[in-house]
Amino acid sequence: MQTTFWGIYCVWLRYFKVFRKSLIYGLVTTFTEPILYLLSFGFGLGSLIGTIKVAGMTLTYKQFVFSGIVAQTVMFQGFFEAAYGSFIRMYYQKVFQALAVTTITIPEILWGEILWDASKASFSVFVILLIGCLTGNFSVLGSVIVFPFCFIFAMLFASLGLLVAAKARTIEEISYPQYLFIFPMFLFCGVFFPLETLPKYVQWFAWLLPLTSVASIIRSCLLGLPVIPISILITTIWLIILITWSRRAMINRLVK
Amino acid sequence: MEKYLSENNLLVVENLKKIYSSKKSSFTAVDDISFTVKKGECFGLLGPNGAGKSTSMNCITGFYPINHGKILINNIDVHKSPKLARRFLGVCSQDDSLDTDFSVIDQMVTYASYFGIDKKTAQEKSESLLKRFFLDDKAKENVESLSGGMRRRLQVARALVGDPQVLILDEPTTGLDPEVRRELWDIIVESREKGMAILLSTHYMDEAERLCDRIAILHNGKILDCDTPQNLITRHAGTNIIEEEIRPGMKWKRPPNIEDVYLNLTGRGLNIN
């Protein structure tokens, strides 16, 4: 079906208007969580641990965990906005259905949704990067380079959220992937500690999940670590699969 | 197709067929229906729940893909060029699809932007529509705070904000009190006077008879007959006064109406002498 930038922009703008209208709510939900993680794990735990060795380089734990929180923010903000947000818009508010009988087409609605979710996640990422740079934990150049990549990674997790919303029969069912997929990734994909500390087979498994690669690429950019080539491949594969699958699933859900 | 192509036929539905299929079964919800709606005409789709009214509406707006046939809005195929065709289309769906994230006026202005209408025109148009729908004092309020009748009026107002030539109203008055119902009837009549082609689905027989220039009786996905209300009544219910026993021992007499047509056509008819 016809897809134009204008149509996608109209959808994106609808989300932005709502965000701007309830700005306080938007700011609290967008910025509080990553800042709390930074304070607790970064400044709190980070001050206790001192330095660690990653890929032959010595880093402060604060640097390590700060960069991990960038990856975690990309995932949480992208996934939750898309999963709960798009479920509410599709199931309760019927925003998608109302848009789809105007000159906006369903493919445009779904692109607008994913791009908005990624934009919102990027707002959060921006703040973390800013704090990281100001506190001297990130390289400024690395932060500038990583920012557009974070947007793309957020699209990956937003697509995952959209897929979950398309498959969930009730809003409660979104909890399954949240507890069985998102939280394990949050804890075991290299956000808080280097994967090398885990048993070999757990490491292999962790590398199959998207967050490990995403965290690895983000950390490489921010801290000047060598990029692991397979992480780019894994991220690309997840991105293509999730975007294609989520869009197809949501179209099947909406259109009979 | 050429027979339908005329400046006056703003909506053309030709041999529309819609089959819902899953791995286990398939079900023909709309079975080869055809009709046209002219400029300034109100066309009614009349049928019980499950007759295929909403499915037809969803196919006609281009929201659902179709298995066979063609839908033209202002001579543009809605499934081939949805963006262009829907520029001329206003839809009030059966479900409440108002955007609860916006206030009443923002709702209208934002919706107008989806039709490429500039902000200033959208604002003026929205204000005048809200006035006409007696919603101007609610303009700044959130949609959530409106009553059911107000929400329905707002949904019809929203359908008109893009200056449509074809207006689709899917059971617009279901569940409304008589006063709001009459207000909406006035607006439907007004829109028809302005030259819009209106497709109205309803299961209220009196509403169909009162508002529609022509009515199609839809049953199990098929159009059983289609004509002006009067012709349908004469053809299927006759002209004689009907005597009906409304409860034991109490009879009343009345002229035949569309309800008799419907009941006769679908085989659940009264015995008319």
Side-chain angles (χ1 to χ4, degrees):
Chain A
M1 211 187 261
Q2 294 165 298
T3 310
T4 63
F5 284 112
W6 176 81
I8 297 170
Y9 172 70
C10 278
V11 179
W12 187 93
L13 197 63
R14 182 235 165 244
Y15 290 121
F16 183 67
K17 276 187 193 166
V18 174
F19 180 77
R20 207 179 44 188
K21 195 171 73 88
S22 39
L23 195 61
I24 304 286
Y25 173 80
L27 293 179
V28 169
T29 53
T30 314
F31 300 132
T32 316
E33 187 192 290
I35 290 173
L36 289 176
Y37 279 117
L38 269 190
L39 289 173
S40 152
F41 289 98
F43 293 104
L45 199 60
S47 318
L48 286 176
I49 294 182
T51 60
I52 55 166
K53 250 185 141 77
V54 182
M57 274 177 73
T58 308
L59 307 168
T60 66
Y61 181 70
K62 212 184 272 177
Q63 282 180 310
F64 182 87
V65 83
F66 261 50
S67 52
I69 288 169
V70 174
Q72 174 255 326
T73 302
V74 165
M75 177 174 78
F76 272 23
Q77 294 289 333
F79 175 80
F80 284 109
E81 176 69 16
Y84 286 98
S86 71
F87 189 86
I88 289 167
R89 288 186 274 270
M90 174 263 299
Y91 191 84
Y92 296 107
Q93 293 183 309
K94 305 200 186 297
V95 172
F96 294 171
Q97 290 88 332
L99 278 165
V101 292
T102 67
T103 66
I104 314 282
T105 61
I106 294 175
E108 290 169 344
I109 296 169
L110 300 181
W111 277 120
E113 171 73 43
I114 291 175
L115 290 174
W116 166 255
D117 301 333
S119 307
K120 193 161 177 276
S122 300
F123 299 156
S124 308
V125 165
F126 179 79
V127 173
I128 307 292
L129 290 176
L130 193 69
I131 296 174
C133 287
L134 290 175
T135 53
N137 288 298
F138 298 157
S139 94
V140 177
L141 180 66
S143 301
V144 172
I145 293 171
V146 88
F147 191 65
F149 285 104
C150 286
F151 185 86
I152 295 169
F153 300 152
M155 283 175 69
L156 186 160
F157 293 108
S159 309
L160 179 63
L162 190 66
L163 175 66
V164 167
K167 295 282 182 191
R169 276 168 301 175
T170 62
I171 198 159
E172 286 81 16
E173 284 191 4
I174 298 174
S175 302
Y176 293 127
Q178 178 184 327
Y179 285 103
L180 299 173
F181 197 58
I182 297 293
F183 288 162
M185 281 201 282
F186 169 56
L187 294 168
F188 296 102
C189 287
V191 170
F192 296 113
F193 52 85
L195 280 187
E196 290 77 38
T197 52
L198 292 172
K200 212 57 194 174
Y201 61 91
V202 181
Q203 281 186 44
W204 278 108
F205 185 68
W207 268 105
L208 290 176
L209 302 173
L211 188 64
T212 308
S213 298
V214 165
S216 163
I217 297 170
I218 290 176
R219 198 162 271 141
S220 299
C221 292
L222 288 173
L223 306 178
L225 300 170
V227 177
I228 303 165
I230 190 89
S231 61
I232 298 171
L233 181 71
I234 292 171
T235 311
T236 312
I237 291 172
W238 273 106
L239 190 67
I240 293 169
I241 290 175
L242 286 175
I243 286 187
T244 319
W245 189 12
S246 67
R247 291 168 60 81
R248 195 175 301 160
M250 193 47 110
I251 290 173
N252 285 339
R253 174 76 181 254
L254 286 169
V255 171
K256 295 189 178 67
Chain B
M1 199 78 229
E2 282 69 28
K3 63 184 167 170
Y4 297 120
L5 285 178
S6 123
E7 258 182 51
N8 281 334
N9 280 338
L10 290 177
L11 175 66
V12 176
V13 176
E14 193 196 49
N15 303 116
L16 168 63
K17 197 167 189 173
K18 175 68 186 172
I19 302 165
Y20 291 127
S21 44
S22 66
K23 280 170 197 157
K24 286 178 196 154
S25 64
S26 79
F27 165 69
T28 306
V30 180
D31 195 1
D32 196 23
I33 65 170
S34 300
F35 60 87
T36 59
V37 188
K38 283 202 300 276
K39 191 174 190 302
E41 184 184 30
C42 182
F43 186 94
L45 271 184
L46 191 58
N49 295 328
K53 297 191 300 288
S54 285
T55 303
S56 305
M57 297 293 207
N58 278 323
C59 293
I60 291 166
T61 60
F63 184 50
Y64 285 2
I66 58 179
N67 297 84
H68 184 74
K70 211 175 230 184
I71 315 276
L72 302 181
I73 294 169
N74 207 8
N75 288 336
I76 304 161
D77 188 323
V78 75
H79 290 95
K80 282 190 182 138
S81 316
K83 291 182 90 68
L84 195 58
R86 291 201 292 236
R87 177 66 195 81
F88 306 101
L89 184 70
V91 180
C92 173
S93 63
Q94 196 180 337
D95 295 326
D96 183 339
S97 66
L98 290 171
D99 199 334
T100 47
D101 284 326
F102 288 104
S103 67
V104 170
I105 184 84
D106 288 347
Q107 169 99 223
M108 298 282 286
V109 175
T110 307
Y111 203 75
S113 75
Y114 305 143
F115 293 90
I117 296 169
D118 68 90
K119 214 174 166 184
K120 191 168 164 279
T121 317
Q123 186 76 29
E124 286 165 9
K125 179 92 192 156
S126 303
E127 279 168 15
S128 84
L129 275 169
L130 289 182
K131 204 165 207 160
R132 174 63 194 90
F133 281 78
F134 311 111
L135 289 164
D136 43 336
D137 54 332
K138 300 278 174 192
K140 294 262 156 55
E141 283 185 34
N142 203 293
V143 174
E144 295 278 18
S145 68
L146 302 185
S147 69
M150 287 176 183
R151 286 176 79 121
R152 186 41 70 107
R153 270 185 285 161
L154 179 58
Q155 211 172 331
V156 177
R158 192 179 68 169
L160 292 169
V161 81
D163 264 328
Q165 295 187 16
V166 177
L167 181 62
I168 292 188
L169 304 168
D170 194 359
E171 297 195 15
T173 61
T174 301
L176 297 183
D177 63 47
E179 198 186 335
V180 181
R181 214 169 149 214
R182 270 163 197 278
E183 274 171 27
L184 279 180
W185 286 352
D186 288 345
I187 282 162
I188 293 169
V189 171
E190 244 176 69
S191 306
R192 183 178 56 183
E193 302 285 291
K194 283 183 189 157
M196 281 179 220
I198 301 170
L199 176 61
L200 173 82
S201 88
T202 181
H203 54 231
Y204 294 127
M205 311 288 168
D206 58 330
E207 182 168 288
E209 199 171 337
R210 174 188 280 257
L211 294 175
C212 299
D213 300 299
R214 284 186 302 143
I215 293 173
I217 309 278
L218 198 63
H219 186 60
N220 290 338
K222 285 192 169 78
I223 290 182
L224 299 181
D225 200 358
C226 171
D227 209 331
T228 62
Q230 203 46 59
N231 286 350
L232 284 174
I233 292 168
T234 314
R235 187 146 66 237
H236 299 286
T239 47
N240 298 336
I241 297 291
I242 291 172
E243 193 177 274
E244 222 181 336
E245 188 168 10
I246 50 168
R247 60 170 187 262
M250 184 165 184
K251 287 183 175 180
W252 73 6
K253 288 180 177 177
R254 59 168 178 82
N257 59 26
I258 278 290
E259 193 159 348
D260 304 317
V261 174
Y262 175 76
L263 293 171
N264 281 332
L265 278 174
T266 57
R268 288 184 271 180
L270 301 163
N271 230 348
I272 296 164
N273 306 313

mmCIF file with all atom_site columns, all heavy atoms in Angstrom, chain A residues 130-141:
data_model
loop_
_atom_site.group_PDB
_atom_site.id
_atom_site.type_symbol
_atom_site.label_atom_id
_atom_site.label_alt_id
_atom_site.label_comp_id
_atom_site.label_asym_id
_atom_site.label_entity_id
_atom_site.label_seq_id
_atom_site.pdbx_PDB_ins_code
_atom_site.Cartn_x
_atom_site.Cartn_y
_atom_site.Cartn_z
_atom_site.occupancy
_atom_site.B_iso_or_equiv
_atom_site.pdbx_formal_charge
_atom_site.auth_seq_id
_atom_site.auth_comp_id
_atom_site.auth_asym_id
_atom_site.auth_atom_id
_atom_site.pdbx_PDB_model_num
ATOM 1  N N   . LEU A 1 130 ? 24.416 13.079 27.748 1.00 0.00 ? 130 LEU A N   1
ATOM 2  C CA  . LEU A 1 130 ? 24.815 14.400 28.240 1.00 0.00 ? 130 LEU A CA  1
ATOM 3  C C   . LEU A 1 130 ? 25.432 14.284 29.638 1.00 0.00 ? 130 LEU A C   1
ATOM 4  O O   . LEU A 1 130 ? 26.523 14.818 29.904 1.00 0.00 ? 130 LEU A O   1
ATOM 5  C CB  . LEU A 1 130 ? 23.578 15.315 28.270 1.00 0.00 ? 130 LEU A CB  1
ATOM 6  C CG  . LEU A 1 130 ? 23.845 16.797 28.461 1.00 0.00 ? 130 LEU A CG  1
ATOM 7  C CD1 . LEU A 1 130 ? 24.531 17.364 27.219 1.00 0.00 ? 130 LEU A CD1 1
ATOM 8  C CD2 . LEU A 1 130 ? 22.540 17.542 28.713 1.00 0.00 ? 130 LEU A CD2 1
ATOM 9  N N   . ILE A 1 131 ? 24.753 13.540 30.510 1.00 0.00 ? 131 ILE A N   1
ATOM 10 C CA  . ILE A 1 131 ? 25.273 13.365 31.875 1.00 0.00 ? 131 ILE A CA  1
ATOM 11 C C   . ILE A 1 131 ? 26.613 12.630 31.829 1.00 0.00 ? 131 ILE A C   1
ATOM 12 O O   . ILE A 1 131 ? 27.573 12.999 32.509 1.00 0.00 ? 131 ILE A O   1
ATOM 13 C CB  . ILE A 1 131 ? 24.244 12.600 32.752 1.00 0.00 ? 131 ILE A CB  1
ATOM 14 C CG1 . ILE A 1 131 ? 22.959 13.432 32.900 1.00 0.00 ? 131 ILE A CG1 1
ATOM 15 C CG2 . ILE A 1 131 ? 24.829 12.282 34.124 1.00 0.00 ? 131 ILE A CG2 1
ATOM 16 C CD1 . ILE A 1 131 ? 21.831 12.715 33.615 1.00 0.00 ? 131 ILE A CD1 1
ATOM 17 N N   . GLY A 1 132 ? 26.688 11.599 30.965 1.00 0.00 ? 132 GLY A N   1
ATOM 18 C CA  . GLY A 1 132 ? 27.928 10.831 30.819 1.00 0.00 ? 132 GLY A CA  1
ATOM 19 C C   . GLY A 1 132 ? 29.086 11.704 30.364 1.00 0.00 ? 132 GLY A C   1
ATOM 20 O O   . GLY A 1 132 ? 30.208 11.574 30.861 1.00 0.00 ? 132 GLY A O   1
ATOM 21 N N   . CYS A 1 133 ? 28.815 12.601 29.421 1.00 0.00 ? 133 CYS A N   1
ATOM 22 C CA  . CYS A 1 133 ? 29.872 13.490 28.910 1.00 0.00 ? 133 CYS A CA  1
ATOM 23 C C   . CYS A 1 133 ? 30.281 14.514 29.968 1.00 0.00 ? 133 CYS A C   1
ATOM 24 O O   . CYS A 1 133 ? 31.462 14.775 30.178 1.00 0.00 ? 133 CYS A O   1
ATOM 25 C CB  . CYS A 1 133 ? 29.407 14.219 27.651 1.00 0.00 ? 133 CYS A CB  1
ATOM 26 S SG  . CYS A 1 133 ? 29.320 13.151 26.214 1.00 0.00 ? 133 CYS A SG  1
ATOM 27 N N   . LEU A 1 134 ? 29.281 15.092 30.633 1.00 0.00 ? 134 LEU A N   1
ATOM 28 C CA  . LEU A 1 134 ? 29.567 16.131 31.632 1.00 0.00 ? 134 LEU A CA  1
ATOM 29 C C   . LEU A 1 134 ? 30.361 15.581 32.815 1.00 0.00 ? 134 LEU A C   1
ATOM 30 O O   . LEU A 1 134 ? 31.160 16.292 33.415 1.00 0.00 ? 134 LEU A O   1
ATOM 31 C CB  . LEU A 1 134 ? 28.252 16.763 32.125 1.00 0.00 ? 134 LEU A CB  1
ATOM 32 C CG  . LEU A 1 134 ? 27.507 17.633 31.102 1.00 0.00 ? 134 LEU A CG  1
ATOM 33 C CD1 . LEU A 1 134 ? 26.170 18.099 31.663 1.00 0.00 ? 134 LEU A CD1 1
ATOM 34 C CD2 . LEU A 1 134 ? 28.357 18.836 30.685 1.00 0.00 ? 134 LEU A CD2 1
ATOM 35 N N   . THR A 1 135 ? 30.119 14.318 33.144 1.00 0.00 ? 135 THR A N   1
ATOM 36 C CA  . THR A 1 135 ? 30.839 13.721 34.278 1.00 0.00 ? 135 THR A CA  1
ATOM 37 C C   . THR A 1 135 ? 32.151 13.079 33.829 1.00 0.00 ? 135 THR A C   1
ATOM 38 O O   . THR A 1 135 ? 32.828 12.424 34.615 1.00 0.00 ? 135 THR A O   1
ATOM 39 C CB  . THR A 1 135 ? 29.977 12.667 35.000 1.00 0.00 ? 135 THR A CB  1
ATOM 40 O OG1 . THR A 1 135 ? 29.511 11.723 34.005 1.00 0.00 ? 135 THR A OG1 1
ATOM 41 C CG2 . THR A 1 135 ? 28.779 13.282 35.681 1.00 0.00 ? 135 THR A CG2 1
ATOM 42 N N   . GLY A 1 136 ? 32.458 13.235 32.545 1.00 0.00 ? 136 GLY A N   1
ATOM 43 C CA  . GLY A 1 136 ? 33.729 12.730 32.031 1.00 0.00 ? 136 GLY A CA  1
ATOM 44 C C   . GLY A 1 136 ? 33.789 11.219 31.843 1.00 0.00 ? 136 GLY A C   1
ATOM 45 O O   . GLY A 1 136 ? 34.870 10.650 31.701 1.00 0.00 ? 136 GLY A O   1
ATOM 46 N N   . ASN A 1 137 ? 32.644 10.566 31.828 1.00 0.00 ? 137 ASN A N   1
ATOM 47 C CA  . ASN A 1 137 ? 32.643 9.112  31.648 1.00 0.00 ? 137 ASN A CA  1
ATOM 48 C C   . ASN A 1 137 ? 32.617 8.687  30.179 1.00 0.00 ? 137 ASN A C   1
ATOM 49 O O   . ASN A 1 137 ? 33.047 7.584  29.854 1.00 0.00 ? 137 ASN A O   1
ATOM 50 C CB  . ASN A 1 137 ? 31.457 8.490  32.378 1.00 0.00 ? 137 ASN A CB  1
ATOM 51 C CG  . ASN A 1 137 ? 31.641 8.515  33.885 1.00 0.00 ? 137 ASN A CG  1
ATOM 52 O OD1 . ASN A 1 137 ? 32.566 7.905  34.416 1.00 0.00 ? 137 ASN A OD1 1
ATOM 53 N ND2 . ASN A 1 137 ? 30.807 9.287  34.561 1.00 0.00 ? 137 ASN A ND2 1
ATOM 54 N N   . PHE A 1 138 ? 32.055 9.512  29.290 1.00 0.00 ? 138 PHE A N   1
ATOM 55 C CA  . PHE A 1 138 ? 31.980 9.177  27.864 1.00 0.00 ? 138 PHE A CA  1
ATOM 56 C C   . PHE A 1 138 ? 32.838 10.138 27.061 1.00 0.00 ? 138 PHE A C   1
ATOM 57 O O   . PHE A 1 138 ? 32.982 11.302 27.441 1.00 0.00 ? 138 PHE A O   1
ATOM 58 C CB  . PHE A 1 138 ? 30.544 9.313  27.340 1.00 0.00 ? 138 PHE A CB  1
ATOM 59 C CG  . PHE A 1 138 ? 29.531 8.412  27.970 1.00 0.00 ? 138 PHE A CG  1
ATOM 60 C CD1 . PHE A 1 138 ? 28.184 8.750  27.934 1.00 0.00 ? 138 PHE A CD1 1
ATOM 61 C CD2 . PHE A 1 138 ? 29.901 7.216  28.583 1.00 0.00 ? 138 PHE A CD2 1
ATOM 62 C CE1 . PHE A 1 138 ? 27.227 7.934  28.500 1.00 0.00 ? 138 PHE A CE1 1
ATOM 63 C CE2 . PHE A 1 138 ? 28.946 6.397  29.154 1.00 0.00 ? 138 PHE A CE2 1
ATOM 64 C CZ  . PHE A 1 138 ? 27.613 6.757  29.120 1.00 0.00 ? 138 PHE A CZ  1
ATOM 65 N N   . SER A 1 139 ? 33.323 9.649  25.912 1.00 0.00 ? 139 SER A N   1
ATOM 66 C CA  . SER A 1 139 ? 33.985 10.572 24.992 1.00 0.00 ? 139 SER A CA  1
ATOM 67 C C   . SER A 1 139 ? 32.897 11.337 24.236 1.00 0.00 ? 139 SER A C   1
ATOM 68 O O   . SER A 1 139 ? 31.853 10.766 23.886 1.00 0.00 ? 139 SER A O   1
ATOM 69 C CB  . SER A 1 139 ? 34.878 9.809  24.016 1.00 0.00 ? 139 SER A CB  1
ATOM 70 O OG  . SER A 1 139 ? 34.196 9.535  22.816 1.00 0.00 ? 139 SER A OG  1
ATOM 71 N N   . VAL A 1 140 ? 33.108 12.624 24.027 1.00 0.00 ? 140 VAL A N   1
ATOM 72 C CA  . VAL A 1 140 ? 32.099 13.458 23.376 1.00 0.00 ? 140 VAL A CA  1
ATOM 73 C C   . VAL A 1 140 ? 31.902 13.003 21.931 1.00 0.00 ? 140 VAL A C   1
ATOM 74 O O   . VAL A 1 140 ? 30.770 12.829 21.462 1.00 0.00 ? 140 VAL A O   1
ATOM 75 C CB  . VAL A 1 140 ? 32.486 14.955 23.437 1.00 0.00 ? 140 VAL A CB  1
ATOM 76 C CG1 . VAL A 1 140 ? 31.462 15.807 22.681 1.00 0.00 ? 140 VAL A CG1 1
ATOM 77 C CG2 . VAL A 1 140 ? 32.593 15.416 24.885 1.00 0.00 ? 140 VAL A CG2 1
ATOM 78 N N   . LEU A 1 141 ? 33.002 12.762 21.237 1.00 0.00 ? 141 LEU A N   1
ATOM 79 C CA  . LEU A 1 141 ? 32.910 12.304 19.849 1.00 0.00 ? 141 LEU A CA  1
ATOM 80 C C   . LEU A 1 141 ? 32.153 10.972 19.774 1.00 0.00 ? 141 LEU A C   1
ATOM 81 O O   . LEU A 1 141 ? 31.263 10.787 18.941 1.00 0.00 ? 141 LEU A O   1
ATOM 82 C CB  . LEU A 1 141 ? 34.319 12.154 19.258 1.00 0.00 ? 141 LEU A CB  1
ATOM 83 C CG  . LEU A 1 141 ? 34.366 11.690 17.807 1.00 0.00 ? 141 LEU A CG  1
ATOM 84 C CD1 . LEU A 1 141 ? 33.762 12.738 16.877 1.00 0.00 ? 141 LEU A CD1 1
ATOM 85 C CD2 . LEU A 1 141 ? 35.804 11.370 17.371 1.00 0.00 ? 141 LEU A CD2 1
#
